[in-house]
Amino acid sequence: MLPSTLPGFTRTTLENLDSTLASFFNDFENSDRTVKKSFGANFIMLLPTRADIKAQSSLIETLTRLHPGRFFVLYRDDDLSDFEVNVRASCNLVGPKEALCSELIALGFAREQIGALASVLRARFTPAVKTELYIHRLEDTNFDVIRVLTGLSERAYVDSRLSGLEKVKRLLPFVEQVVDIEWMRLAIWRNEIKRGLERRSFMNLFAGLSEIEVMLEVDTKGHFPGAAALMAGWILNQFQLEISSLSGGAFECIAPDGRIVRLILSISSHSQESTLVGILLRFRHVQGQSKIVPFLKATRSNQLETTVHLDSGDARSTRELDDESIEGVFTRYFSIGESVKSYDLALHSALELENLRRGYTR
Amino acid sequence: MKLIEKKEEHQQVLRPPRTALVIFGATGDLTTRKLIPALCNLAQDGYLPQDFIVIGASRQKLSDQEFRDRVFKGVKEFSRRPITDQVWERFSKNVYYQAVGFSALEDFINLRTRLEELGQQCAESLNYLYYLATSPEFFSAIATHLKQAGLVEPVQSTKRTTSIVIEKPFGRDLESARALNHDLTQSFDERQIFRIDHYLGKETVQNILVFRFANGIFEPLWNHKYIDHIQISVAETVGVGSRAGYFDQTGILRDIVQNHVLQVLSLLCIEPPISLDADSIRDEKTKVLKCIRRYTREEARANSVRAQYSAGHIDAKAVPAYKDEKGVAKGSSADTFVALKLAIDNWRWSGVPIYVRAGKRLPKRISEITVFFKQVPDTLFRGLEGCELEQNVLAIQIQPEEGISLKVSSKPPGPRMRVSPVVMEFNYGNSYGVPSPEAYERLLLDAMKGDATLFTRNDEIEEAWDLLAPIFDLWENFSKDSESAIVHDYQAGSWGPKAAADLLRVQGHRWRRL
């Protein structure tokens, strides 16, 4: 029995794929709109199953709108005997009578087709543009496919909230750049901490730092949540501290000038989500002084409140939280541009902290 | 003047003089796939001479009608557009066949008789154009017998023009190219010899001259001060197919690089010629070829990569390794992929690497010249995230689509300063109302008119062999030097071996994704 056509798509074969896509644009010739095909990017989306195409339709629409190009939406189905090909055009108005369209190629494959998958994609990539890869969930069972796809891509988007930091780290050697959606969700926290700490009154404190206490409040299942780990790793990197060992419940870190700085890391947890809801940073100077600095938490009204305790009094600020959905993160990434600098380093530090907590020695 | 009269006047200007075209090797693929379809398209556009006949000549015994039926199938399958019944009827009436054994002088004398008989039907005497679509081993014999049978007029003859068109390969190396040319020039003057390289008939390749010399914005940049490097890529998805016997003795360096690639490279890099006549352009092309560095053995080793495809997939279809293809000799070291780094040692191009790659069983069929311009000083945007600068890249696509694109940097809409590449494109199909003619249409027309601009001259051929000689020597004379025998592997469906990427990495370059 032939597989059914994906809703909204046109069933075709590999041989007829290009002509089927071309026919969509030929049909537009009779309309009163100017329709252009985008050649901006090659974008591969690896989804777990066929059903996820519908489930992720909002994400697909968001990406085709923000980052138009040629999209390859891949899913594995080991019951298939050959590639299953469905295509459609996704068009968005960019002017009163002008539409810009992405081409969507949905490609189902079984284990037996993994060896041929790269050849199918290479034959259809738009030349001379970057190829990007979105991996919905990193699993041990799909790393064989991921290895093939990362070999074709310059950048991979993952969500460590879904996939876990360890699996993201496994990806790093195989692709030029990894963009973690969770990392972009945390941009607002990083920006608030930086804003809070970039004050003259803290400079002397940081010069002689002996201890940093980082309390992270997360909604978590109890294991070391990715968001908290990444923030802890990033904070360490900001102070240029290198983790040395775990001793007496605190991490011992070495500062560039050789000072030992203790990192006390505690995580309090509430419910089922792995969402960061609060950070408390406390610093202790070698002379024993301490200051409590940015205590950040998400309030019930979905705002981010920052309080910085200064000698002269508390400085408070409030800002709206960003949309934390994957669509929301991609919208900010492609419209405004989010920082992905220092991610790799933060990831390494985060995993080191976790390994030490679990009892693995360096 | 009415439109129809204008068109007729235009055709008159372009129409060659009365011609009899004799195709040797007429039962082969080239005639069916390319030559006759090209002639039919010329006929359909009204560009064939008033009196025009075609005689297919080959060893097989066929009647005129049998030959017409055979080539008609090719026209239906391979013509770039449908040929009307009317055009085919008019054209095919002047298509004939003559059995000719290439080593039998008597057959050439019979051919002469046939030509004279057919010529009597025409108002004026026909020019004779001989097209050698045969295996190269027959070139010398055919040329000699044409001369002996009285079918070659001196170049200054007022009776008729006689010319010969030969297909590549022009020899196997410098020595055999010289020998072939010696044999040909015993019967024909150099001015009567048209060496065909069908790449030169492609619109985009011809456009290189216009692009460079009719636009004020590019020529000032067309030198080592502004150009970082150049890449030329010729990629095919097909394997050797039925040509294994020929290809196994040839390899892709001979089959593609020695002719197509070097011809395109020389056009890309020439100095402005003093005029658009054939010799002025060919003089400049030859100068470029002379300036390409002749490598020492060590330099050849460091700047060349050869490889053979292993089993893989081409667009999901499993394909065998080259060594397992029918007709390939056991232990063959024929190159199905080659990557080179060349250098042109003249004032314009000094220090600009020219990277060439050509291969079979690559992921897609595409031929492209890419010019990478030097990076601007990165002072303004340095350190700003999202502002990673990319080089400006000019791409001239030769096939399958013909067009030109230019990659520039721009700011994407949004509140932050970011830099992103965008591509400005010109595509023949979208820009002009008429489809591009097939390369052979232009070349046949020019050969009939005696215009040699798009044909290669003997000195160009010899320079091309000469500059590649060190690489052939390295690859083929490896008895003393086992390192030079390296034939890398690449999976069919991939873009070539790792060694090809490493060739560019030395200078921080990478192959453009096609």
Side-chain angles (χ1 to χ4, degrees):
Chain A
M1 191 174 91
L2 280 175
S4 54
T5 306
L6 284 168
F9 283 77
T10 299
R11 183 94 165 88
T12 185
T13 60
L14 283 177
E15 288 76 21
N16 296 323
L17 191 158
D18 290 314
S19 57
T20 311
L21 277 172
S23 69
F24 296 142
F25 295 95
N26 291 340
D27 288 346
F28 284 127
E29 276 177 16
N30 296 325
S31 81
D32 60 349
R33 289 213 184 111
T34 307
V35 175
K36 288 182 188 164
K37 204 189 316 183
S38 170
F39 298 101
N42 295 308
F43 204 98
I44 307 171
M45 298 180 73
L46 179 63
L47 301 179
T49 68
R50 202 171 187 268
D52 285 290
I53 294 181
K54 189 176 175 191
Q56 300 300 323
S57 60
S58 167
L59 174 60
I60 294 171
E61 292 311 311
T62 301
L63 286 170
T64 56
R65 177 172 51 82
L66 294 169
H67 196 46
R70 187 168 253 207
F71 281 70
F72 301 86
V73 183
L74 309 182
Y75 55 92
R76 182 160 164 178
D77 180 354
D78 284 339
D79 290 334
L80 291 173
S81 57
D82 201 350
F83 286 102
E84 179 177 272
V85 188
N86 284 270
V87 296
R88 73 174 177 90
S90 173
C91 300
N92 293 282
L93 282 176
V94 292
K97 285 196 171 186
E98 203 179 335
L100 184 62
C101 301
S102 295
E103 294 171 310
L104 264 73
I105 301 167
L107 201 59
F109 62 94
R111 176 195 213 95
E112 291 75 27
Q113 281 94 48
I114 292 173
L117 186 56
S119 73
V120 174
L121 297 174
R122 283 195 192 107
R124 290 174 178 80
F125 280 152
T126 300
V129 296
K130 282 196 159 59
T131 298
E132 296 168 284
L133 169 64
Y134 168 75
I135 305 168
H136 187 65
R137 193 190 302 270
L138 289 162
E139 310 269 12
D140 289 331
T141 50
N142 67 7
F143 255 91
D144 51 354
V145 179
I146 288 168
R147 285 291 305 276
V148 168
L149 299 179
T150 51
L152 303 173
S153 312
E154 280 91 11
R155 185 180 293 143
Y157 301 95
V158 295
D159 190 350
S160 59
R161 186 183 285 193
L162 296 175
S163 303
L165 290 179
E166 281 287 353
K167 291 200 176 69
V168 174
K169 189 186 172 188
R170 264 181 81 186
L171 199 62
L172 290 182
F174 302 116
V175 68
E176 279 178 39
Q177 187 185 31
V178 171
V179 175
D180 186 352
I181 290 163
E182 182 74 336
W183 176 254
M184 290 197 281
R185 285 189 190 101
L186 296 172
I188 187 175
W189 299 87
R190 294 194 298 276
N191 293 338
E192 287 300 300
I193 292 173
K194 273 199 279 192
R195 217 164 56 84
L197 293 181
E198 282 168 358
R199 290 169 190 273
R200 194 183 286 277
S201 51
F202 292 129
M203 293 300 117
N204 290 335
L205 176 69
F206 295 154
L209 211 57
S210 65
E211 185 176 285
I212 303 175
E213 186 175 350
V214 180
M215 292 171 61
L216 294 145
E217 191 179 339
V218 288
D219 290 335
T220 179
K221 290 175 190 168
H223 54 264
F224 200 62
L230 285 172
M231 285 306 299
W234 176 77
I235 289 166
L236 278 178
N237 298 152
Q238 291 302 300
F239 288 98
Q240 297 178 277
L241 299 174
E242 198 184 314
I243 304 162
S244 172
S245 60
L246 178 62
S247 160
F251 294 95
E252 295 208 337
C253 308
I254 305 171
D257 61 4
R259 257 177 309 120
I260 302 293
V261 178
R262 281 162 47 89
L263 169 70
I264 301 166
L265 185 61
S266 54
I267 300 168
S268 57
S269 59
H270 292 286
S271 62
Q272 299 306 307
E273 299 282 322
S274 294
T275 318
L276 187 66
V277 293
I279 293 181
L280 169 69
L281 292 174
R282 206 190 324 251
F283 300 97
R284 185 160 289 125
H285 195 266
V286 287
Q287 263 81 49
Q289 295 165 351
S290 68
K291 284 202 183 293
I292 299 169
V293 284
F295 176 71
L296 299 115
K297 67 178 175 186
T299 64
R300 275 186 218 132
S301 58
N302 263 350
Q303 282 189 318
L304 191 63
E305 274 186 14
T306 308
T307 306
V308 181
H309 296 286
L310 305 167
D311 289 339
S312 52
D314 290 350
R316 287 197 171 85
S317 61
T318 310
R319 60 160 290 179
E320 295 296 316
L321 285 175
D322 294 325
D323 177 356
E324 289 207 336
S325 67
I326 296 179
E327 290 88 334
V329 171
F330 271 128
T331 300
R332 284 195 304 284
Y333 181 77
F334 288 119
S335 307
I336 304 168
E338 290 282 7
S339 173
V340 294
K341 265 196 320 191
S342 57
Y343 172 73
D344 287 13
L345 214 49
L347 175 63
H348 281 293
S349 300
L351 288 170
E352 247 190 298
L353 290 170
E354 170 60 355
N355 287 338
L356 282 172
R357 265 169 55 105
R358 285 186 188 164
Y360 301 133
T361 54
R362 291 184 108 221
Chain B
M1 193 188 283
K2 287 184 199 163
L3 200 62
I4 232 177
E5 285 169 6
K6 269 191 179 168
K7 186 182 175 191
E8 281 170 0
E9 191 197 348
H10 179 66
Q11 285 167 345
Q12 202 63 32
V13 168
L14 293 172
R15 218 177 251 162
R18 295 169 162 78
T19 301
L21 171 65
V22 181
I23 304 175
F24 291 95
T27 51
D29 264 356
L30 184 69
T31 305
T32 319
R33 285 173 162 257
K34 294 291 183 188
L35 299 182
I36 301 293
L39 289 169
C40 286
N41 276 284
L42 286 172
Q44 188 140 300
D45 288 333
Y47 290 138
L48 283 185
Q50 200 104 6
D51 290 313
F52 178 73
I53 63 171
V54 177
I55 301 180
S58 196
R59 287 170 290 185
Q60 269 184 59
K61 295 213 185 317
L62 292 173
S63 67
D64 291 342
Q65 193 55 47
E66 282 170 332
F67 180 63
R68 287 171 193 149
D69 292 341
R70 179 194 277 246
V71 298
F72 181 56
K73 285 184 194 155
V75 169
K76 284 208 297 193
E77 191 179 339
F78 299 111
S79 173
R80 63 175 167 92
R81 56 181 173 171
I83 299 296
T84 65
D85 291 339
Q86 201 184 1
V87 166
W88 171 251
E89 208 183 299
R90 210 167 45 236
F91 174 81
S92 60
K93 272 187 199 155
N94 295 310
V95 173
Y96 304 94
Y97 184 83
Q98 181 85 11
V100 176
F102 300 147
S103 34
L105 176 60
E106 193 182 322
D107 287 353
F108 283 80
I109 293 170
N110 291 339
L111 175 64
R112 178 181 170 171
T113 306
R114 187 89 190 267
L115 277 165
E116 284 168 354
E117 278 168 7
L118 291 170
Q120 277 164 14
Q121 298 166 19
C122 306
E124 292 173 18
S125 67
L126 297 168
N127 292 333
Y128 293 165
L129 179 64
Y130 307 112
Y131 198 113
L132 272 54
T134 67
S135 178
E137 70 213 65
F138 299 116
F139 289 172
S140 296
I142 293 171
T144 304
H145 285 128
L146 283 169
K147 176 81 173 177
Q148 289 173 344
L151 283 166
V152 182
E153 295 287 333
V155 72
Q156 64 272 26
S157 165
T158 52
K159 184 178 168 191
R160 63 165 56 85
T161 304
T162 53
S163 317
I164 188 166
V165 179
I166 58 171
E167 278 274 350
K168 72 170 186 80
F170 313 118
R172 223 192 113 67
D173 50 29
L174 181 58
E175 193 184 327
S176 57
R178 283 183 174 150
L180 173 61
N181 197 56
H182 174 265
D183 289 350
L184 289 174
T185 51
Q186 296 303 297
S187 305
F188 290 86
D189 186 271
E190 172 65 30
R191 287 166 287 177
Q192 294 171 304
I193 302 173
F194 292 76
R195 296 172 192 81
I196 208 167
D197 182 329
H198 73 268
Y199 263 49
L200 296 179
K202 291 182 180 290
E203 287 294 339
T204 341
V205 174
Q206 295 168 49
N207 196 20
I208 293 173
L209 282 179
V210 175
F211 190 77
R212 280 193 60 192
F213 301 121
N215 291 296
I217 56 173
F218 291 108
E219 190 54 24
L221 307 178
W222 214 255
N223 56 67
H224 70 274
K225 291 181 189 159
Y226 298 98
I227 291 179
D228 182 62
H229 70 279
I230 295 172
Q231 294 181 17
I232 301 178
S233 301
V234 178
E236 297 176 5
T237 56
V238 295
V240 288
S242 58
R243 295 172 73 224
Y246 160 76
F247 189 85
D248 209 39
Q249 301 302 312
T250 309
I252 205 160
L253 186 65
R254 276 194 179 83
D255 195 36
I256 300 277
V257 176
Q258 188 272 340
N259 36 78
H260 299 330
V261 171
L262 291 181
Q263 281 296 306
V264 159
L265 174 59
S266 59
L267 263 182
L268 191 72
C269 296
I270 56 170
E271 297 301 319
I274 57 169
S275 78
L276 290 176
D277 70 77
D279 277 331
S280 297
I281 292 175
R282 298 195 293 183
D283 285 345
E284 297 303 328
K285 284 165 66 188
T286 307
K287 274 159 68 177
V288 172
L289 294 169
K290 281 182 189 295
C291 289
I292 296 177
R293 191 179 302 164
R294 273 55 171 160
Y295 283 142
T296 63
R297 196 173 179 81
E298 280 316 305
E299 286 171 335
R301 196 200 311 278
N303 293 300
S304 67
V305 171
R306 68 171 165 170
Q308 229 178 61
Y309 58 83
S310 57
H313 293 87
I314 299 292
D315 199 12
K317 291 193 178 63
V319 296
Y322 175 75
K323 62 181 176 61
D324 297 325
E325 299 257 32
K326 195 175 166 189
V328 171
K330 195 175 172 191
S332 164
S333 61
D335 42 296
T336 65
F337 177 96
V338 62
L340 303 177
K341 179 176 159 185
L342 301 173
I344 303 178
D345 290 328
N346 64 15
W347 276 45
R348 185 186 282 267
W349 296 111
S350 176
V352 178
I354 318 279
Y355 299 110
V356 167
R357 62 177 163 173
K360 291 189 172 294
R361 289 292 193 215
L362 297 183
K364 49 171 84 162
R365 176 177 173 260
I366 184 167
S367 295
E368 190 183 82
I369 306 163
T370 330
V371 179
F372 290 77
F373 291 88
K374 285 188 170 160
Q375 195 70 283
V376 295
D378 187 12
T379 51
L380 211 52
F381 302 99
R382 191 192 301 154
L384 294 180
E385 200 169 353
C387 292
E388 290 76 34
L389 301 184
E390 292 187 24
Q391 292 168 287
N392 297 128
V393 179
L394 178 76
I396 302 171
Q397 201 172 106
I398 299 171
Q399 64 185 19
E401 304 290 327
E402 292 185 88
I404 297 175
S405 69
L406 179 65
K407 184 169 85 170
V408 297
S409 294
S410 92
K411 180 189 174 296
R416 282 173 56 170
M417 173 58 72
R418 289 183 297 156
V419 177
S420 185
V422 291
V423 177
M424 300 193 289
E425 281 189 328
F426 152 67
N427 179 284
Y428 268 92
N430 296 339
S431 302
Y432 295 107
V434 290
S436 293
E438 251 272 319
Y440 277 96
E441 292 173 42
R442 174 67 193 266
L443 294 169
L444 282 167
L445 202 61
D446 279 9
M448 287 189 269
K449 283 156 60 185
D451 183 349
T453 311
L454 299 180
F455 296 84
T456 48
R457 205 166 62 187
N458 184 53
D459 51 354
E460 293 175 70
I461 306 250
E462 291 186 9
E463 293 297 334
W465 282 120
D466 186 54
L467 77 94
L468 292 178
I471 299 172
F472 287 122
D473 186 58
L474 176 74
W475 289 359
E476 292 165 6
N477 297 315
F478 51 78
S479 54
K480 296 175 192 173
D481 181 354
S482 61
E483 256 196 56
S484 63
I486 292 173
V487 181
H488 297 271
D489 239 326
Y490 65 101
Q491 195 179 32
S494 70
W495 280 109
K498 184 177 169 298
D502 292 342
L503 186 66
L504 274 66
R505 203 167 284 137
V506 170
Q507 276 187 256
H509 297 137
R510 51 200 297 184
W511 289 109
R512 174 167 145 104
R513 168 170 284 165
L514 297 177

